[in-house]
Amino acid sequence: MWCTAMMTNITIRIDEETAREAKVLAARRGTSLSQLVAKQLQDMLKADLRFDKAKSRALKRLRRGYDLHWTPPTDRGELYGREDLR
């Protein structure tokens, strides 16, 4: 998972109880707290990128529109499928 890219340290401030529980969680998962947080951030960034791409594709489809092969009715009788209104 870890690549040879340059790593940087960050500092976060959380309450003691959260820190303690997070350390336990990381230990249960067989990883460090640092790796646990880094993985969560990477997953969030990937999800955000996927959302942006999907949004862009959807907006392109909306701008292009859809051909529903529909022609408007010529009169009210045709609209309501009734011969007596024609």
Side-chain angles (χ1 to χ4, degrees):
M1 159 99 178
W2 296 101
C3 60
T4 58
M6 189 85 148
M7 303 295 273
T8 187
N9 289 325
I10 61 169
T11 302
I12 60 170
R13 298 178 65 83
I14 56 175
D15 64 86
E16 288 181 28
E17 179 66 18
T18 301
R20 188 172 33 258
E21 290 177 11
K23 288 176 184 177
V24 170
L25 176 64
R28 272 192 265 144
R29 294 187 179 189
T31 190
S32 69
L33 183 53
S34 179
Q35 289 175 335
L36 183 71
V37 171
K39 173 78 167 86
Q40 289 297 311
L41 287 171
Q42 289 169 351
D43 291 348
M44 290 170 63
L45 292 168
K46 286 178 187 175
D48 197 56
L49 181 61
R50 284 192 310 268
F51 174 83
D52 287 343
K53 286 181 178 181
K55 179 181 173 184
S56 177
R57 285 191 310 268
L59 289 173
K60 283 180 187 175
R61 282 194 302 266
L62 284 173
R63 281 191 291 273
R64 195 172 48 233
Y66 292 98
D67 183 5
L68 302 177
H69 305 289
W70 181 78
T71 54
T74 56
D75 58 31
R76 286 184 49 183
E78 185 180 345
L79 175 65
Y80 294 106
R82 294 171 50 189
E83 292 293 324
D84 58 342
L85 293 177
R86 289 185 184 181

